Amino acid sequence: MPEVPPIGARIAKYLDVPDAAKGPAIPAGKGYRTERLGAGLYMVTDNAYQSMFLVYESGVVVVDAPPSYAAHIKTAIAEVTGKPITHLVYSHAHADHIGGAAMLGGRPIIVAHAETKRLLARSNDRNRPLPTVTFTDGYQLKVGSQVLELQSRRAAHQPGNLFIYAPAQKALMHVDVVYPGWMMWRRFGLAEDVPAYFDAVEAVKSYDFAKFVGGHVARVGSREDVVVQAEFMADLKAAALKALQTVKVGAEVNPLDLGNPWAVYDTYIDRVAASCVNALTPKWKRRLAAFDVYIWDQCYAMEQSLRID
């Protein structure tokens, strides 16, 4: 049995979060903090979710409105400028990142990928108003002297998930793909396409950025954070592939269950995942925060993708 307990096994305490994964504390009683990323560009976070806003000559562009602190976004902006919110960019359609859009008030121009609009129309959620400007490939949002370059690539996390790049500030936002200092959220951040997820991380590396906003965790990321996650993912893929090649189908199954293919493959897949977890634990359990929380999920997702994608 691996050192890290399997899914469903409750433990007294998870591994401590490494200091390198932590960000600045949220001021007492405030519920959020603001961090400057460059000229007129700021991140807002509750140290679990992240959004941005960009100040230009006559207004403000907000990027994402997580419902956990969306009510504070206007307050955060007011600490920097008295200008109104004129635009709202949706990184993608998921409610945990834009479900606070209606809390911003006013009638901002909402910009998103056409796939995001399609998914939101299906959801029919009044907390996530439909975009008013959509595109299918790339879009340059130029407001005054400020620019955000919006681009969609092959869908990994969700169709329409955007790369949001501020070239002047050398800051990149791409949500639910890279988790600086942390293990990815369960099953590659619930990616809809695991091979495309690998491509997305490589795409992040292709941008000329100094600061990275991933939509989650407590701090801004760096290029090194992206490199480290890519290294972990390469190790994960190699460990899962080796396990698939060496673990035998049908081994350790009760002979009375050999006529039950579901039971045979359940045992096989569990043993593949255990082998994968064992291979990765010595190197990574202290390097990535929450390694022990989601390493089983990642190994299950990786073996499945290698078998069927």
Side-chain angles (χ1 to χ4, degrees):
M1 179 59 66
E3 174 186 344
V4 177
I7 295 171
R10 303 272 44 99
I11 61 174
K13 186 185 181 306
Y14 291 105
L15 292 172
D16 290 339
V17 174
D19 288 342
K22 298 176 181 177
I26 299 295
K30 195 169 186 180
Y32 70 96
R33 67 179 180 86
T34 305
E35 182 172 336
R36 186 175 182 271
L37 303 179
L41 183 65
Y42 298 83
M43 179 184 74
V44 184
T45 182
D46 61 359
N47 280 2
Y49 282 87
Q50 300 169 340
S51 57
M52 295 195 310
F53 67 88
L54 178 65
V55 181
Y56 68 99
E57 285 81 354
S58 58
V60 177
V61 179
V62 173
V63 183
D64 280 359
S68 60
Y69 63 83
H72 296 307
I73 290 177
K74 288 197 293 184
T75 304
I77 292 171
E79 294 172 351
V80 174
T81 179
K83 297 169 184 174
I85 298 172
T86 59
H87 296 73
L88 171 60
V89 176
Y90 288 161
S91 67
H92 64 302
H94 284 158
D96 63 324
H97 289 278
I98 65 168
M103 298 183 199
L104 299 181
R107 298 177 63 86
I109 297 168
I110 302 177
V111 183
H113 192 272
E115 277 294 294
T116 296
K117 183 173 183 177
R118 180 184 68 82
L119 293 168
L120 291 175
R122 181 184 68 182
S123 298
N124 192 28
D125 179 2
R126 65 181 182 180
N127 294 314
R128 293 176 282 170
L130 291 181
T132 48
V133 174
T134 62
F135 58 95
T136 56
D137 185 13
Y139 183 83
Q140 185 182 77
L141 178 59
K142 191 173 189 308
V143 285
S145 61
Q146 297 278 35
V147 173
L148 289 177
E149 295 178 357
L150 314 179
Q151 187 175 26
S152 175
R153 299 175 183 242
R154 176 181 168 192
H157 175 65
Q158 187 191 42
N161 197 18
L162 297 179
F163 291 80
I164 301 160
Y165 181 53
Q169 296 83 359
K170 290 194 174 181
L172 175 65
M173 182 174 184
H174 188 51
V175 174
D176 286 334
V177 172
V178 175
Y179 300 78
W182 288 71
M183 169 66 75
M184 301 96 72
W185 183 258
R186 60 188 300 266
R187 303 192 181 223
F188 294 97
L190 302 179
E192 296 188 14
D193 185 331
V194 171
Y197 188 97
F198 277 74
D199 293 342
V201 174
E202 292 304 306
V204 168
K205 289 164 63 177
S206 73
Y207 280 85
D208 180 17
F209 69 91
K211 295 185 177 181
F212 177 81
V213 177
H216 283 289
V217 310
R219 65 170 176 82
V220 171
S222 66
R223 181 168 295 278
E224 178 61 21
D225 289 315
V226 182
V227 170
V228 168
Q229 181 169 313
E231 179 187 352
F232 167 73
M233 289 167 58
D235 286 355
L236 170 63
K237 186 174 182 178
L241 181 60
K242 182 177 180 180
L244 285 166
Q245 293 170 339
T246 56
V247 174
K248 303 300 182 185
V249 177
E252 300 186 19
V253 177
N254 186 327
L256 297 177
D257 287 325
L258 289 174
N260 180 346
W262 266 227
V264 170
Y265 270 88
D266 183 57
T267 303
Y268 169 66
I269 291 168
D270 284 349
R271 293 171 62 236
V272 166
S275 175
C276 173
V277 171
N278 278 336
L280 295 167
T281 298
K283 177 178 177 179
W284 289 102
K285 72 175 182 178
R286 302 294 181 189
R287 288 186 67 186
L288 294 177
F291 171 88
D292 54 332
V293 180
Y294 284 134
I295 185 55
W296 280 89
D297 276 295
Q298 312 305 349
C299 282
Y300 276 116
M302 190 75 258
E303 66 78 20
Q304 175 175 286
S305 177
L306 288 170
R307 281 190 301 109
I308 67 176
D309 279 336

mmCIF file of all heavy atoms in Angstrom, residues 103-144:
data_model
loop_
_atom_site.group_PDB
_atom_site.id
_atom_site.type_symbol
_atom_site.label_atom_id
_atom_site.label_comp_id
_atom_site.label_asym_id
_atom_site.label_seq_id
_atom_site.Cartn_x
_atom_site.Cartn_y
_atom_site.Cartn_z
ATOM 1 N N MET A 103 -22.779 40.653 -9.514
ATOM 2 C CA MET A 103 -22.526 41.497 -8.334
ATOM 3 C C MET A 103 -21.775 42.774 -8.682
ATOM 4 O O MET A 103 -21.762 43.718 -7.886
ATOM 5 C CB MET A 103 -21.719 40.719 -7.290
ATOM 6 C CG MET A 103 -22.376 39.497 -6.723
ATOM 7 S SD MET A 103 -21.314 38.740 -5.451
ATOM 8 C CE MET A 103 -22.010 37.089 -5.366
ATOM 9 N N LEU A 104 -21.155 42.820 -9.850
ATOM 10 C CA LEU A 104 -20.390 44.008 -10.217
ATOM 11 C C LEU A 104 -21.277 45.195 -10.543
ATOM 12 O O LEU A 104 -20.842 46.346 -10.489
ATOM 13 C CB LEU A 104 -19.480 43.695 -11.417
ATOM 14 C CG LEU A 104 -18.428 42.607 -11.207
ATOM 15 C CD1 LEU A 104 -17.603 42.437 -12.469
ATOM 16 C CD2 LEU A 104 -17.533 42.903 -10.012
ATOM 17 N N GLY A 105 -22.526 44.907 -10.899
ATOM 18 C CA GLY A 105 -23.469 45.978 -11.216
ATOM 19 C C GLY A 105 -23.147 46.670 -12.529
ATOM 20 O O GLY A 105 -22.235 46.280 -13.263
ATOM 21 N N GLY A 106 -23.903 47.714 -12.838
ATOM 22 C CA GLY A 106 -23.707 48.458 -14.071
ATOM 23 C C GLY A 106 -24.020 47.628 -15.298
ATOM 24 O O GLY A 106 -24.656 46.569 -15.219
ATOM 25 N N ARG A 107 -23.547 48.097 -16.436
ATOM 26 C CA ARG A 107 -23.765 47.393 -17.701
ATOM 27 C C ARG A 107 -22.448 47.318 -18.477
ATOM 28 O O ARG A 107 -22.313 47.920 -19.554
ATOM 29 C CB ARG A 107 -24.846 48.091 -18.529
ATOM 30 C CG ARG A 107 -26.218 48.131 -17.852
ATOM 31 C CD ARG A 107 -27.230 48.899 -18.687
ATOM 32 N NE ARG A 107 -27.461 48.268 -19.974
ATOM 33 C CZ ARG A 107 -28.344 47.301 -20.186
ATOM 34 N NH1 ARG A 107 -29.072 46.845 -19.175
ATOM 35 N NH2 ARG A 107 -28.511 46.785 -21.397
ATOM 36 N N PRO A 108 -21.466 46.609 -17.925
ATOM 37 C CA PRO A 108 -20.187 46.538 -18.631
ATOM 38 C C PRO A 108 -20.301 45.741 -19.924
ATOM 39 O O PRO A 108 -21.171 44.877 -20.067
ATOM 40 C CB PRO A 108 -19.278 45.815 -17.632
ATOM 41 C CG PRO A 108 -20.219 44.981 -16.811
ATOM 42 C CD PRO A 108 -21.464 45.814 -16.685
ATOM 43 N N ILE A 109 -19.429 46.040 -20.858
ATOM 44 C CA ILE A 109 -19.294 45.209 -22.061
ATOM 45 C C ILE A 109 -18.636 43.905 -21.629
ATOM 46 O O ILE A 109 -17.551 43.919 -21.034
ATOM 47 C CB ILE A 109 -18.436 45.925 -23.121
ATOM 48 C CG1 ILE A 109 -19.115 47.216 -23.580
ATOM 49 C CG2 ILE A 109 -18.148 45.015 -24.311
ATOM 50 C CD1 ILE A 109 -18.212 48.125 -24.392
ATOM 51 N N ILE A 110 -19.292 42.788 -21.903
ATOM 52 C CA ILE A 110 -18.764 41.488 -21.477
ATOM 53 C C ILE A 110 -18.142 40.793 -22.688
ATOM 54 O O ILE A 110 -18.825 40.572 -23.694
ATOM 55 C CB ILE A 110 -19.857 40.615 -20.842
ATOM 56 C CG1 ILE A 110 -20.487 41.337 -19.646
ATOM 57 C CG2 ILE A 110 -19.269 39.268 -20.403
ATOM 58 C CD1 ILE A 110 -21.632 40.579 -18.999
ATOM 59 N N VAL A 111 -16.868 40.450 -22.568
ATOM 60 C CA VAL A 111 -16.107 39.862 -23.667
ATOM 61 C C VAL A 111 -15.771 38.417 -23.323
ATOM 62 O O VAL A 111 -15.276 38.125 -22.229
ATOM 63 C CB VAL A 111 -14.806 40.655 -23.928
ATOM 64 C CG1 VAL A 111 -14.057 40.078 -25.123
ATOM 65 C CG2 VAL A 111 -15.118 42.138 -24.136
ATOM 66 N N ALA A 112 -16.006 37.512 -24.267
ATOM 67 C CA ALA A 112 -15.710 36.100 -24.044
ATOM 68 C C ALA A 112 -15.631 35.368 -25.369
ATOM 69 O O ALA A 112 -16.045 35.885 -26.419
ATOM 70 C CB ALA A 112 -16.782 35.453 -23.165
ATOM 71 N N HIS A 113 -15.131 34.158 -25.332
ATOM 72 C CA HIS A 113 -15.111 33.306 -26.515
ATOM 73 C C HIS A 113 -16.533 32.889 -26.874
ATOM 74 O O HIS A 113 -17.420 32.795 -26.006
ATOM 75 C CB HIS A 113 -14.254 32.074 -26.241
ATOM 76 C CG HIS A 113 -13.925 31.279 -27.461
ATOM 77 N ND1 HIS A 113 -14.748 30.281 -27.933
ATOM 78 C CD2 HIS A 113 -12.863 31.343 -28.309
ATOM 79 C CE1 HIS A 113 -14.201 29.759 -29.025
ATOM 80 N NE2 HIS A 113 -13.068 30.382 -29.279
ATOM 81 N N ALA A 114 -16.763 32.615 -28.159
ATOM 82 C CA ALA A 114 -18.099 32.203 -28.609
ATOM 83 C C ALA A 114 -18.553 30.919 -27.927
ATOM 84 O O ALA A 114 -19.756 30.738 -27.648
ATOM 85 C CB ALA A 114 -18.095 32.024 -30.125
ATOM 86 N N GLU A 115 -17.629 30.000 -27.632
ATOM 87 C CA GLU A 115 -17.989 28.763 -26.935
ATOM 88 C C GLU A 115 -18.459 29.045 -25.518
ATOM 89 O O GLU A 115 -19.359 28.374 -25.005
ATOM 90 C CB GLU A 115 -16.805 27.792 -26.917
ATOM 91 C CG GLU A 115 -16.661 26.975 -28.170
ATOM 92 C CD GLU A 115 -17.843 26.016 -28.344
ATOM 93 O OE1 GLU A 115 -18.000 25.087 -27.535
ATOM 94 O OE2 GLU A 115 -18.615 26.225 -29.293
ATOM 95 N N THR A 116 -17.853 30.042 -24.890
ATOM 96 C CA THR A 116 -18.295 30.425 -23.547
ATOM 97 C C THR A 116 -19.729 30.935 -23.589
ATOM 98 O O THR A 116 -20.551 30.583 -22.733
ATOM 99 C CB THR A 116 -17.347 31.494 -22.975
ATOM 100 O OG1 THR A 116 -16.046 30.931 -22.821
ATOM 101 C CG2 THR A 116 -17.832 32.004 -21.631
ATOM 102 N N LYS A 117 -20.060 31.736 -24.585
ATOM 103 C CA LYS A 117 -21.435 32.219 -24.712
ATOM 104 C C LYS A 117 -22.402 31.058 -24.927
ATOM 105 O O LYS A 117 -23.492 31.021 -24.338
ATOM 106 C CB LYS A 117 -21.550 33.211 -25.867
ATOM 107 C CG LYS A 117 -22.960 33.802 -26.006
ATOM 108 C CD LYS A 117 -23.017 34.906 -27.055
ATOM 109 C CE LYS A 117 -24.413 35.522 -27.101
ATOM 110 N NZ LYS A 117 -24.475 36.650 -28.060
ATOM 111 N N ARG A 118 -22.007 30.087 -25.753
ATOM 112 C CA ARG A 118 -22.876 28.932 -25.998
ATOM 113 C C ARG A 118 -23.132 28.159 -24.702
ATOM 114 O O ARG A 118 -24.271 27.792 -24.396
ATOM 115 C CB ARG A 118 -22.230 28.009 -27.032
ATOM 116 C CG ARG A 118 -23.063 26.761 -27.349
ATOM 117 C CD ARG A 118 -22.332 25.836 -28.302
ATOM 118 N NE ARG A 118 -21.165 25.232 -27.679
ATOM 119 C CZ ARG A 118 -21.220 24.153 -26.885
ATOM 120 N NH1 ARG A 118 -22.381 23.590 -26.592
ATOM 121 N NH2 ARG A 118 -20.119 23.647 -26.380
ATOM 122 N N LEU A 119 -22.090 27.939 -23.932
ATOM 123 C CA LEU A 119 -22.238 27.193 -22.681
ATOM 124 C C LEU A 119 -23.070 27.973 -21.663
ATOM 125 O O LEU A 119 -23.881 27.386 -20.930
ATOM 126 C CB LEU A 119 -20.856 26.866 -22.114
ATOM 127 C CG LEU A 119 -20.022 25.878 -22.937
ATOM 128 C CD1 LEU A 119 -18.579 25.859 -22.455
ATOM 129 C CD2 LEU A 119 -20.624 24.480 -22.879
ATOM 130 N N LEU A 120 -22.883 29.276 -21.619
ATOM 131 C CA LEU A 120 -23.660 30.083 -20.679
ATOM 132 C C LEU A 120 -25.129 30.155 -21.083
ATOM 133 O O LEU A 120 -26.020 30.175 -20.215
ATOM 134 C CB LEU A 120 -23.069 31.485 -20.584
ATOM 135 C CG LEU A 120 -21.704 31.573 -19.900
ATOM 136 C CD1 LEU A 120 -21.163 32.992 -19.970
ATOM 137 C CD2 LEU A 120 -21.791 31.106 -18.453
ATOM 138 N N ALA A 121 -25.409 30.201 -22.380
ATOM 139 C CA ALA A 121 -26.802 30.198 -22.837
ATOM 140 C C ALA A 121 -27.489 28.901 -22.413
ATOM 141 O O ALA A 121 -28.666 28.898 -22.027
ATOM 142 C CB ALA A 121 -26.854 30.363 -24.351
ATOM 143 N N ARG A 122 -26.761 27.801 -22.464
ATOM 144 C CA ARG A 122 -27.311 26.514 -22.026
ATOM 145 C C ARG A 122 -27.575 26.510 -20.521
ATOM 146 O O ARG A 122 -28.585 25.990 -20.051
ATOM 147 C CB ARG A 122 -26.330 25.398 -22.387
ATOM 148 C CG ARG A 122 -26.783 24.000 -22.006
ATOM 149 C CD ARG A 122 -25.720 22.969 -22.308
ATOM 150 N NE ARG A 122 -24.555 23.134 -21.426
ATOM 151 C CZ ARG A 122 -23.463 22.378 -21.509
ATOM 152 N NH1 ARG A 122 -23.361 21.457 -22.459
ATOM 153 N NH2 ARG A 122 -22.455 22.564 -20.668
ATOM 154 N N SER A 123 -26.667 27.132 -19.756
ATOM 155 C CA SER A 123 -26.814 27.152 -18.298
ATOM 156 C C SER A 123 -27.945 28.058 -17.841
ATOM 157 O O SER A 123 -28.579 27.805 -16.812
ATOM 158 C CB SER A 123 -25.502 27.606 -17.647
ATOM 159 O OG SER A 123 -24.459 26.709 -17.943
ATOM 160 N N ASN A 124 -28.176 29.140 -18.587
ATOM 161 C CA ASN A 124 -29.271 30.066 -18.256
ATOM 162 C C ASN A 124 -29.189 30.518 -16.802
ATOM 163 O O ASN A 124 -30.146 30.417 -16.037
ATOM 164 C CB ASN A 124 -30.630 29.412 -18.542
ATOM 165 C CG ASN A 124 -31.770 30.413 -18.486
ATOM 166 O OD1 ASN A 124 -31.582 31.604 -18.753
ATOM 167 N ND2 ASN A 124 -32.956 29.945 -18.134
ATOM 168 N N ASP A 125 -28.019 31.041 -16.420
ATOM 169 C CA ASP A 125 -27.741 31.441 -15.045
ATOM 170 C C ASP A 125 -27.707 32.968 -14.981
ATOM 171 O O ASP A 125 -26.821 33.600 -15.553
ATOM 172 C CB ASP A 125 -26.398 30.844 -14.620
ATOM 173 C CG ASP A 125 -25.994 31.227 -13.201
ATOM 174 O OD1 ASP A 125 -26.766 31.924 -12.512
ATOM 175 O OD2 ASP A 125 -24.879 30.829 -12.792
ATOM 176 N N ARG A 126 -28.633 33.555 -14.259
ATOM 177 C CA ARG A 126 -28.695 35.017 -14.202
ATOM 178 C C ARG A 126 -27.476 35.623 -13.507
ATOM 179 O O ARG A 126 -27.214 36.824 -13.637
ATOM 180 C CB ARG A 126 -29.966 35.461 -13.484
ATOM 181 C CG ARG A 126 -30.034 35.071 -12.013
ATOM 182 C CD ARG A 126 -31.338 35.533 -11.399
ATOM 183 N NE ARG A 126 -31.409 35.215 -9.973
ATOM 184 C CZ ARG A 126 -32.443 35.514 -9.194
ATOM 185 N NH1 ARG A 126 -33.488 36.141 -9.732
ATOM 186 N NH2 ARG A 126 -32.436 35.208 -7.924
ATOM 187 N N ASN A 127 -26.732 34.812 -12.759
ATOM 188 C CA ASN A 127 -25.517 35.315 -12.117
ATOM 189 C C ASN A 127 -24.346 35.416 -13.085
ATOM 190 O O ASN A 127 -23.323 36.019 -12.755
ATOM 191 C CB ASN A 127 -25.127 34.405 -10.949
ATOM 192 C CG ASN A 127 -26.137 34.441 -9.832
ATOM 193 O OD1 ASN A 127 -26.580 35.508 -9.427
ATOM 194 N ND2 ASN A 127 -26.515 33.272 -9.331
ATOM 195 N N ARG A 128 -24.517 34.808 -14.267
ATOM 196 C CA ARG A 128 -23.479 34.863 -15.303
ATOM 197 C C ARG A 128 -24.111 35.426 -16.571
ATOM 198 O O ARG A 128 -24.483 34.678 -17.475
ATOM 199 C CB ARG A 128 -22.892 33.470 -15.552
ATOM 200 C CG ARG A 128 -22.096 32.902 -14.393
ATOM 201 C CD ARG A 128 -21.633 31.473 -14.681
ATOM 202 N NE ARG A 128 -22.707 30.509 -14.495
ATOM 203 C CZ ARG A 128 -22.630 29.229 -14.853
ATOM 204 N NH1 ARG A 128 -21.550 28.775 -15.472
ATOM 205 N NH2 ARG A 128 -23.655 28.424 -14.632
ATOM 206 N N PRO A 129 -24.239 36.745 -16.677
ATOM 207 C CA PRO A 129 -24.874 37.339 -17.867
ATOM 208 C C PRO A 129 -24.139 36.932 -19.141
ATOM 209 O O PRO A 129 -22.916 36.740 -19.140
ATOM 210 C CB PRO A 129 -24.747 38.841 -17.615
ATOM 211 C CG PRO A 129 -24.545 38.978 -16.141
ATOM 212 C CD PRO A 129 -23.809 37.756 -15.699
ATOM 213 N N LEU A 130 -24.884 36.841 -20.233
ATOM 214 C CA LEU A 130 -24.283 36.448 -21.504
ATOM 215 C C LEU A 130 -23.305 37.509 -22.002
ATOM 216 O O LEU A 130 -23.531 38.710 -21.823
ATOM 217 C CB LEU A 130 -25.366 36.223 -22.550
ATOM 218 C CG LEU A 130 -26.281 35.020 -22.347
ATOM 219 C CD1 LEU A 130 -27.291 34.935 -23.485
ATOM 220 C CD2 LEU A 130 -25.487 33.728 -22.261
ATOM 221 N N PRO A 131 -22.220 37.077 -22.634
ATOM 222 C CA PRO A 131 -21.281 38.037 -23.228
ATOM 223 C C PRO A 131 -21.959 38.891 -24.290
ATOM 224 O O PRO A 131 -22.891 38.449 -24.969
ATOM 225 C CB PRO A 131 -20.213 37.142 -23.859
ATOM 226 C CG PRO A 131 -20.341 35.829 -23.175
ATOM 227 C CD PRO A 131 -21.781 35.684 -22.817
ATOM 228 N N THR A 132 -21.483 40.104 -24.432
ATOM 229 C CA THR A 132 -22.003 41.008 -25.462
ATOM 230 C C THR A 132 -21.054 41.125 -26.656
ATOM 231 O O THR A 132 -21.451 41.576 -27.727
ATOM 232 C CB THR A 132 -22.245 42.403 -24.861
ATOM 233 O OG1 THR A 132 -21.086 42.802 -24.114
ATOM 234 C CG2 THR A 132 -23.440 42.374 -23.919
ATOM 235 N N VAL A 133 -19.789 40.720 -26.466
ATOM 236 C CA VAL A 133 -18.795 40.671 -27.543
ATOM 237 C C VAL A 133 -18.154 39.296 -27.513
ATOM 238 O O VAL A 133 -17.658 38.863 -26.465
ATOM 239 C CB VAL A 133 -17.710 41.756 -27.375
ATOM 240 C CG1 VAL A 133 -16.615 41.579 -28.417
ATOM 241 C CG2 VAL A 133 -18.315 43.149 -27.466
ATOM 242 N N THR A 134 -18.192 38.582 -28.635
ATOM 243 C CA THR A 134 -17.581 37.255 -28.694
ATOM 244 C C THR A 134 -16.655 37.145 -29.906
ATOM 245 O O THR A 134 -16.727 37.942 -30.842
ATOM 246 C CB THR A 134 -18.645 36.148 -28.776
ATOM 247 O OG1 THR A 134 -19.413 36.309 -29.974
ATOM 248 C CG2 THR A 134 -19.553 36.168 -27.554
ATOM 249 N N PHE A 135 -15.826 36.132 -29.892
ATOM 250 C CA PHE A 135 -14.894 35.877 -30.991
ATOM 251 C C PHE A 135 -14.618 34.376 -31.016
ATOM 252 O O PHE A 135 -14.972 33.647 -30.079
ATOM 253 C CB PHE A 135 -13.600 36.672 -30.806
ATOM 254 C CG PHE A 135 -12.895 36.380 -29.500
ATOM 255 C CD1 PHE A 135 -11.876 35.448 -29.442
ATOM 256 C CD2 PHE A 135 -13.273 37.033 -28.330
ATOM 257 C CE1 PHE A 135 -11.234 35.171 -28.246
ATOM 258 C CE2 PHE A 135 -12.638 36.761 -27.125
ATOM 259 C CZ PHE A 135 -11.617 35.822 -27.086
ATOM 260 N N THR A 136 -13.994 33.911 -32.089
ATOM 261 C CA THR A 136 -13.765 32.472 -32.230
ATOM 262 C C THR A 136 -12.291 32.085 -32.221
ATOM 263 O O THR A 136 -11.979 30.902 -32.073
ATOM 264 C CB THR A 136 -14.381 31.948 -33.538
ATOM 265 O OG1 THR A 136 -13.842 32.689 -34.640
ATOM 266 C CG2 THR A 136 -15.897 32.094 -33.515
ATOM 267 N N ASP A 137 -11.395 33.032 -32.369
ATOM 268 C CA ASP A 137 -9.975 32.693 -32.358
ATOM 269 C C ASP A 137 -9.244 33.632 -31.412
ATOM 270 O O ASP A 137 -9.051 33.333 -30.249
ATOM 271 C CB ASP A 137 -9.403 32.762 -33.775
ATOM 272 C CG ASP A 137 -7.962 32.290 -33.840
ATOM 273 O OD1 ASP A 137 -7.492 31.694 -32.853
ATOM 274 O OD2 ASP A 137 -7.296 32.517 -34.867
ATOM 275 N N GLY A 138 -8.825 34.790 -31.938
ATOM 276 C CA GLY A 138 -8.146 35.760 -31.105
ATOM 277 C C GLY A 138 -8.862 37.095 -31.129
ATOM 278 O O GLY A 138 -9.627 37.401 -32.046
ATOM 279 N N TYR A 139 -8.604 37.904 -30.078
ATOM 280 C CA TYR A 139 -9.267 39.205 -29.978
ATOM 281 C C TYR A 139 -8.344 40.135 -29.195
ATOM 282 O O TYR A 139 -7.824 39.766 -28.134
ATOM 283 C CB TYR A 139 -10.600 39.068 -29.252
ATOM 284 C CG TYR A 139 -11.409 40.336 -29.148
ATOM 285 C CD1 TYR A 139 -12.222 40.757 -30.194
ATOM 286 C CD2 TYR A 139 -11.376 41.106 -27.987
ATOM 287 C CE1 TYR A 139 -12.985 41.917 -30.093
ATOM 288 C CE2 TYR A 139 -12.134 42.267 -27.875
ATOM 289 C CZ TYR A 139 -12.932 42.663 -28.937
ATOM 290 O OH TYR A 139 -13.679 43.819 -28.833
ATOM 291 N N GLN A 140 -8.133 41.321 -29.708
ATOM 292 C CA GLN A 140 -7.360 42.323 -28.983
ATOM 293 C C GLN A 140 -8.320 43.323 -28.349
ATOM 294 O O GLN A 140 -9.051 44.032 -29.041
ATOM 295 C CB GLN A 140 -6.382 43.048 -29.907
ATOM 296 C CG GLN A 140 -5.478 44.026 -29.151
ATOM 297 C CD GLN A 140 -4.530 44.781 -30.054
ATOM 298 O OE1 GLN A 140 -4.935 45.715 -30.740
ATOM 299 N NE2 GLN A 140 -3.269 44.368 -30.060
ATOM 300 N N LEU A 141 -8.315 43.360 -27.046
ATOM 301 C CA LEU A 141 -9.129 44.330 -26.317
ATOM 302 C C LEU A 141 -8.244 45.534 -26.023
ATOM 303 O O LEU A 141 -7.376 45.485 -25.144
ATOM 304 C CB LEU A 141 -9.658 43.713 -25.024
ATOM 305 C CG LEU A 141 -10.490 44.638 -24.129
ATOM 306 C CD1 LEU A 141 -11.714 45.177 -24.876
ATOM 307 C CD2 LEU A 141 -10.919 43.911 -22.862
ATOM 308 N N LYS A 142 -8.451 46.609 -26.793
ATOM 309 C CA LYS A 142 -7.669 47.825 -26.627
ATOM 310 C C LYS A 142 -8.556 48.887 -26.014
ATOM 311 O O LYS A 142 -9.588 49.261 -26.577
ATOM 312 C CB LYS A 142 -7.109 48.303 -27.975
ATOM 313 C CG LYS A 142 -6.075 49.420 -27.842
ATOM 314 C CD LYS A 142 -5.437 49.744 -29.186
ATOM 315 C CE LYS A 142 -4.254 50.709 -29.005
ATOM 316 N NZ LYS A 142 -4.586 51.910 -28.243
ATOM 317 N N VAL A 143 -8.166 49.338 -24.835
ATOM 318 C CA VAL A 143 -8.926 50.368 -24.123
ATOM 319 C C VAL A 143 -7.950 51.477 -23.756
ATOM 320 O O VAL A 143 -7.020 51.280 -22.983
ATOM 321 C CB VAL A 143 -9.597 49.790 -22.859
ATOM 322 C CG1 VAL A 143 -10.816 48.949 -23.229
ATOM 323 C CG2 VAL A 143 -8.624 48.957 -22.043
ATOM 324 N N GLY A 144 -8.141 52.638 -24.331
ATOM 325 C CA GLY A 144 -7.182 53.701 -24.126
ATOM 326 C C GLY A 144 -5.801 53.233 -24.569
ATOM 327 O O GLY A 144 -5.633 52.703 -25.668
#
